[in-house]
Each structure stands twice: as structure tokens, then as C-alpha cells.
Amino acid sequence: MGREGIEEGEISSSLLVKDRSQIRGRDDACVSGEVQSGGSSATTVLVISTLVAVSGSYVFGSAVGYSSPTQSGIMDDLGLSLAEYSVFGSILTIGAMVGAIMSGRIADYTGRRGIMGFSEMFCIIGWLAIAFSKASWWLNVGRLLVGYGMGLLSYVVPIYVAEITPKNLRGAFTTAHQLMICCGASITFLIGAFVSWRILAVIGTIPCLVQLLGLFFIPESPRWLAKIGRWKECEAALLRLRGENADISDEAAEIKDYTETLQQHSEAGIFELFRWKYAHSLIVGVGLMVLQQFGGVNGIAFYASSIFVSAGFSGTVGTIAMVVVQIPLTALGVVLMDISGRRPLLMISAAGTCLGCFLVALSFLLQDLHKWMDFSPFLALIGVLIYIGSFALGMGGIPWVIMSEVFPINMKGSAGSLVTVVNWLGTFFIFASVCGVTVLFVSKLVPETKGRTLEEIQASMNPFTAN
């Protein structure tokens, strides 16, 4: 089993199970090492462990939703200009990018619980720095720390949930990550309408403390324990998650066999990811994240109020309608995840976002026609709501689910970091690619016009011969 250049499909079919007679009637395991435990149910420990983990997702959402309702209060109290406040809002992303780069390796060294606790320490310090800040630089330091913790959480939460859940529950439980992000952003936005920005920052520490304390009562990921050779602890954690009376012998043996097979190969570094045998996983993981970001979600979400106002609709009413639509449809996606499958939801979600953007564009086009003048604001509202609802149904959460599923344990650290960074930088990578194409376009097609007459320029570009 130690041959070089082993393909992932071979691992999952012929190498993952050493003795077929021990696991009769079960399908081959997939490349992620998942256990074919289709009949597993949600135990109390599994539910509590998931809730503790997705408390970090709520922290993620509350950090994203904080800047909108607090803008006027912070600018007035600290005397910030619009440009200075823009720095405060955007520096969160910088912290998140740094956290995302480091997330995979930290999770591999400290464990899934360890990195969640580590990230929450940064978030708590960051929220308190914001709450008690007296100057803009201290405010920015706090926001940067929260962003760093958020970047770590954006990777480890879906990974941990995917690794502790059986396959028949994994989709729904992992999508709870996106649901809690939506809840965190929406609830923070609503609370921010009634309390000061300092109090809202203090409130932001509550979910951090909930997760930090909850980590003492939940098991570590069995797959991570198996990866580092702690087999007895792996079985004990698996038994807690599946129930004391559950028969985990087959599942534990399958995890052990798969892990031992992967340990015969070196730990995948960042450059190892680009080998041909990982190409499919990498294209799927990175591609979904890029498409998620480049589908316009940030433009719609961040500027929805401006879109409504420009279309002649109330920005406040439109934003409230977005919140009302987003959370239920995210919850619906959680329910449908393991019923309909990932691919159908992704395709329906992508089609819905396409339709939503088209309707918003159409509403602005029809503003020029007087007979449609009264209808275009409602068309803009419908378009934005269709977009947000469709995104929440699938494209918001499913890429994170698939990211946690398609990479084997020996490359999850490097691959997860890369995919998470792409999620934060995806739009800019595409912008960079377009700029690179611009260089090629200019070098190959655009003529130099300096020092040439118009006739010379046009003749060189449009050669013709007299009849």
C-alpha cells in the first residue's frame, strides 16, 4: 500500500478497507474518509457539539453586521471622517485574510477545539478594544483582532462539524454554519438600532464566551485524533458522539485504515496541492469559492439600501425585507441539504441569483420608460429578495460544506487555508487576472500611436487595397 503516485480513488476503493469481511454490505468510502453510517442519528452530544462550534459562526456574522448600524455613533463620538470610518470597516477583511492563511496549519497542530478557543481569545480582546476605544487607531486594532479570529473560525467551524457528523446528517449540520452567520449579522443589525456602539461591542463578546466555555464540554474531532495517532481517544470521542450504546467498531476501523493509508504519504504542503491527483478537489473547492464571491453577493448585500433608494424604494423597508427572507431560506437550505443533495441546490441557487440580478438590472433599465416608472422600484425589491433568498438557499453555505468534504485529512490544513483565503480574496484574484489579461491585450493588439499621423495609424490597423 505504500506505492508512489497513489490516486485518491484507489485509496477510497481498494486501500481504505483492508478486510472487506469486517464491513459487509457497506459501500466504498469516499475520498474524504467519511464513514458509511447512513443510519446514525443525532445524539445529544452531537447536537451540543455542533451548537458550540457554530457559536463561532454567530461571532463571524456579528462582526460583519456590526459596522452598518454603528456608523453614525462611532463617527460622532470619536470625530472620524467617512474615510477613517471606511478604514475601520474594511480592516476586518485584512485581519480575516491573515487568519485564513494561518488557519489550516494551526488547526492541524492544536486540534479543532484548540483553534476555536485560540480564535475566540482574539475576538474577545478585539471586541473589548472596540468597546473602550478612545481613538481611531485603537478602534482599528480591535477590529483587526476580531477579523483575525473570524478568519480562523471561517475555516475550522465547517471542518469540525463535518468531521464529527455521520454522512446522513453532515450536510444539514455543516450548513448551520451559514445559518448562524446570517443570524449573527441580522440580530446584530437589529440590536444596533436600539443600543450604542459601545454596548453592541460588549454584546459581541457573549457568543465568544459561549463557545469558549462550551469547548470544555465537547469532544475533539475523532478524525484529527486519528491523524495524530491517538487511537484510544479517537474511539472515546466517537463513542460520545454516536451514543454510549452505539456500535462504533466498524466506523473506528474504517477511520483508522484510511488514516494509516494516508500516513504513508507525506503531509501535503501548499505546493503539494497542485499535483495532478489533487486537481479535481482543488478545482471544485477553489472554484466554488470564487464563483460564490464573484456572483455579486457583496455588491448586493453591502449596497442593498443604496440599490433600493436609487430604484425609488425605501431603503429601510427593503433591508428589513432582506432579513425576513434570508434567515428562513437559509434554514430551508439546512433542511433540504441531505434530502435533495448538494448539486441540485447549488444549481437552483445559482439560477435564482442569476434571475435576481437580471430583475434588478431590468428595474433600472425600465426607469427610463415613464409607463414603467411606478413598477420599477418593486421590481428592484423583488430582484434583490430573489437574489438574497436564492443565495441563502445554496450558494451561501454549500461551498463551505463541500470544502470540508472533498479534501482528505492529510491535506485539509493546507487546502482549507487556501480555499478560505480564496473566499476572502476571490474577487480580487479575478480582478488581478483581468488586469493580467489587460497587459496581454495591450501588448498584442493595441498599437503605439505616439509620433504617428492619423492616416498612418488607421492604415496600419485597417489595411485595404484599392479596387
Side-chain angles (χ1 to χ4, degrees):
M1 293 192 296
R3 57 183 178 173
E4 294 297 325
I6 187 169
E7 298 293 334
E8 295 303 312
E10 293 174 327
I11 292 177
S12 62
S13 59
S14 63
L15 297 177
L16 182 60
V17 181
K18 294 179 180 178
D19 187 356
R20 291 285 183 181
S21 64
Q22 295 177 352
I23 314 178
R24 290 188 179 93
R26 298 167 65 181
D27 296 327
D28 292 337
C30 75
V31 296
S32 63
E34 75 176 26
V35 177
Q36 307 297 324
S37 50
S40 298
S41 58
T43 62
T44 301
V45 174
L46 179 61
V47 172
I48 292 175
S49 299
T50 302
L51 289 175
V52 170
V54 297
S55 296
S57 308
Y58 187 95
V59 174
F60 185 141
S62 63
V64 172
Y66 180 80
S67 59
S68 179
T70 58
Q71 178 174 349
S72 59
I74 292 177
M75 291 177 66
D76 292 341
D77 289 353
L78 299 182
L80 302 184
S81 65
L82 182 60
E84 289 173 322
Y85 187 80
S86 297
V87 171
F88 169 74
S90 60
I91 203 170
L92 181 80
T93 304
I94 297 175
M97 288 187 292
V98 175
I101 292 170
M102 302 172 64
S103 59
R105 288 301 181 185
I106 296 176
D108 282 346
Y109 285 120
T110 67
R112 309 330 189 198
R113 289 195 312 166
I115 190 176
M116 284 190 277
F118 181 70
S119 64
E120 293 298 7
M121 295 299 295
F122 280 91
C123 290
I124 291 172
I125 295 172
W127 281 122
L128 293 177
I130 293 172
F132 297 103
S133 61
K134 300 294 183 181
S136 61
W137 70 269
W138 195 238
L139 193 74
N140 292 336
V141 168
R143 185 76 164 168
L144 187 69
L145 292 176
V146 173
Y148 177 77
M150 191 174 76
L152 298 177
L153 290 169
S154 64
Y155 164 76
V156 71
V157 171
I159 290 292
Y160 175 79
V161 175
E163 289 180 349
I164 66 172
T165 50
K167 74 164 189 176
N168 61 307
L169 301 173
R170 189 182 60 240
F173 275 55
T174 307
T175 312
H177 169 64
Q178 180 67 22
L179 176 61
M180 292 301 286
I181 291 175
C182 293
C183 290
S186 301
I187 293 174
T188 299
F189 181 83
L190 294 176
I191 294 176
F194 303 100
V195 302
S196 71
W197 62 275
R198 294 186 187 275
I199 294 177
L200 189 62
V202 173
I203 293 174
T205 64
I206 295 176
C208 303
L209 293 171
V210 168
Q211 184 176 59
L212 197 59
L213 296 175
L215 291 173
F216 291 100
F217 303 99
I218 65 174
E220 181 55 88
S221 163
R223 287 174 172 80
W224 180 78
L225 292 170
K227 178 177 179 290
I228 62 173
R230 293 158 61 176
W231 301 111
K232 291 185 178 179
E233 293 176 58
C234 168
E235 293 180 355
L238 201 57
L239 190 61
R240 286 185 64 190
L241 291 164
R242 300 295 180 261
E244 294 184 0
N245 297 323
D247 181 6
I248 63 164
S249 57
D250 287 347
E251 186 173 359
E254 192 166 353
I255 293 174
K256 183 175 181 179
D257 289 340
Y258 180 79
T259 304
E260 287 177 345
T261 298
L262 290 179
Q263 285 177 345
Q264 297 180 30
H265 304 273
S266 60
E267 184 74 13
I270 192 66
F271 296 108
E272 181 78 8
L273 295 176
F274 299 97
R275 294 181 61 180
W276 179 251
K277 64 179 179 179
Y278 297 133
H280 193 186
S281 295
L282 194 63
I283 290 171
V284 170
V286 172
L288 282 176
M289 289 300 182
V290 170
L291 293 172
Q292 181 200 64
Q293 293 300 304
F294 208 59
V297 60
N298 290 332
I300 293 287
F302 293 167
Y303 300 103
S305 181
S306 298
I307 292 172
F308 292 135
V309 172
S310 298
F313 202 85
S314 169
T316 302
V317 173
T319 303
I320 293 174
M322 283 176 54
V323 173
V324 171
V325 168
Q326 187 175 30
I327 294 178
L329 281 175
T330 304
L332 179 62
V334 171
V335 174
L336 294 178
M337 180 73 63
D338 290 313
I339 298 175
S340 65
R342 280 62 155 161
R343 280 164 48 91
L345 274 182
L346 276 175
M347 289 187 286
I348 292 171
S349 175
T353 55
C354 177
L355 176 61
C357 281
F358 178 79
L359 292 178
V360 172
L362 187 62
S363 71
F364 286 101
L365 176 64
L366 296 178
Q367 276 187 332
D368 295 332
L369 304 176
H370 294 290
K371 62 180 180 179
W372 293 97
M373 199 65 177
D374 294 333
F375 180 71
S376 59
F378 295 98
L379 193 61
L381 175 64
I382 293 171
V384 170
L385 294 184
I386 288 176
Y387 182 94
I388 291 296
S390 299
F391 184 85
L393 186 66
M395 283 301 296
I398 295 179
W400 293 103
V401 176
I402 293 180
M403 181 271 289
S404 67
E405 295 175 330
V406 298
F407 297 114
I409 194 71
N410 70 320
M411 63 179 294
K412 270 189 178 177
S414 299
S417 293
L418 176 63
V419 172
T420 307
V421 168
V422 167
N423 179 263
W424 290 105
L425 286 175
T427 302
F428 294 100
F429 280 140
I430 295 179
F431 288 166
S433 300
V434 172
C435 292
V437 171
T438 303
V439 174
L440 296 176
F441 179 85
V442 172
S443 66
K444 298 296 183 181
L445 296 177
V446 179
E448 178 56 69
T449 59
K450 178 183 177 182
R452 303 173 68 185
T453 66
L454 295 179
E455 290 74 18
E456 289 174 335
I457 296 169
Q458 294 161 14
S460 66
M461 297 184 68
N462 306 290
F464 64 92
T465 57
N467 292 329

